[in-house]
Amino acid sequence: ARERRLAAEREAEKKAGEEKRVREDDSFYQSAVMMNTPQSYTTYLTNYPNGRHVEEAQKKLEALDAEAAEKARAVAEDAAKKDDQAFLVASNGNSIQAYNAYLISFPNGRHSEEANAKIAGIKEQEDAQREKDAVDLALRQQENAAARERRLAAEREAEKKAGEEKRVREDASFYQSAVMMNTQQSYT
């Protein structure tokens, strides 16, 4: 009788322990459901790998993972659209400032390499234009200096010619005066 009573007590303890584990399993799972996060379901599965709600927890975890993946995809798609729109604005501006504005907003954006290449191209064009402008300016300055030198030479030549003409007139006038004086002396 004593052995039966001990066996019954052990059976009762075993049953009570099992009921306690079931209550703890159910309680832990209900907590995971209330939090409804991947971490809460993962913690449940770690603590109760053979629990009563393993299949349900795995399904909910997969659903949350799928939902998170979809949200991440939507966020990435939205970011890509904003990136594309910002680059289009920069392309329409087609200036160093416009591309730099894009790079500030999207330093690692989908078009960052292209934006940097556009900036480099614009800088090369600006450098080439500055060089061409400097050459053009130097040529104009040379042409202006040569024109000024020709004008000064022409003015000197004109002054020289005018001086010679004046001397010729003065000589002619002097000659005429001398001839007239000679002629008057011979009549007297």
Side-chain angles (χ1 to χ4, degrees):
R2 186 173 174 222
E3 284 183 25
R4 277 189 226 153
R5 191 174 37 99
L6 284 175
E9 284 177 6
R10 281 192 295 261
E11 190 60 35
E13 285 176 12
K14 185 178 175 184
K15 189 174 181 182
E18 183 61 32
E19 287 174 357
K20 182 181 176 188
R21 279 191 296 280
V22 167
R23 280 193 310 274
E24 287 174 353
D25 182 324
D26 288 346
S27 176
F28 206 100
Y29 178 72
Q30 287 307 313
S31 293
V33 168
M34 289 180 71
M35 287 188 271
N36 198 35
T37 64
Q39 184 178 0
S40 66
Y41 291 115
T42 300
T43 303
Y44 169 79
L45 291 169
T46 300
N47 290 329
Y48 297 93
N50 299 315
R52 293 171 16 116
H53 307 284
V54 168
E55 193 174 308
E56 296 167 66
Q58 287 173 338
K59 285 181 182 176
K60 291 200 180 249
L61 182 59
E62 288 171 5
L64 286 174
D65 286 345
E67 183 180 321
E70 177 57 28
K71 283 181 182 176
R73 186 200 60 75
V75 166
E77 189 176 292
D78 185 51
K81 284 181 184 177
K82 288 179 180 175
D83 185 319
D84 290 344
Q85 289 171 342
F87 186 72
L88 180 62
V89 168
S91 294
N92 288 338
N94 197 33
S95 68
I96 291 174
Q97 294 80 8
Y99 289 115
N100 277 333
Y102 165 79
L103 289 170
I104 287 169
S105 297
F106 298 92
N108 298 314
R110 295 161 35 119
H111 306 283
S112 60
E113 286 182 23
E114 189 175 351
N116 282 316
K118 293 285 189 177
I119 289 170
I122 291 170
K123 284 181 178 179
E124 285 177 18
Q125 287 176 344
E126 288 177 351
D127 289 346
Q129 186 61 47
R130 271 193 294 278
E131 190 174 313
K132 181 185 177 302
D133 291 346
V135 168
D136 289 348
L137 177 62
L139 288 174
R140 278 194 308 276
Q141 288 174 339
Q142 284 178 345
E143 289 170 0
N144 289 341
R148 187 172 43 253
E149 190 58 42
R150 285 190 302 273
R151 187 174 24 88
L152 289 173
E155 287 175 2
R156 284 191 299 270
E157 188 61 35
E159 286 176 8
K160 183 178 173 185
K161 189 174 182 181
E164 287 176 8
E165 288 176 356
K166 182 179 175 188
R167 276 192 301 279
V168 167
R169 279 193 308 273
E170 287 175 350
D171 287 347
S173 176
F174 179 74
Y175 179 74
Q176 253 182 347
S177 295
V179 168
M180 285 179 96
M181 283 199 319
N182 248 352
T183 310
Q184 286 176 350
Q185 283 178 358
S186 43
Y187 289 113
T188 35

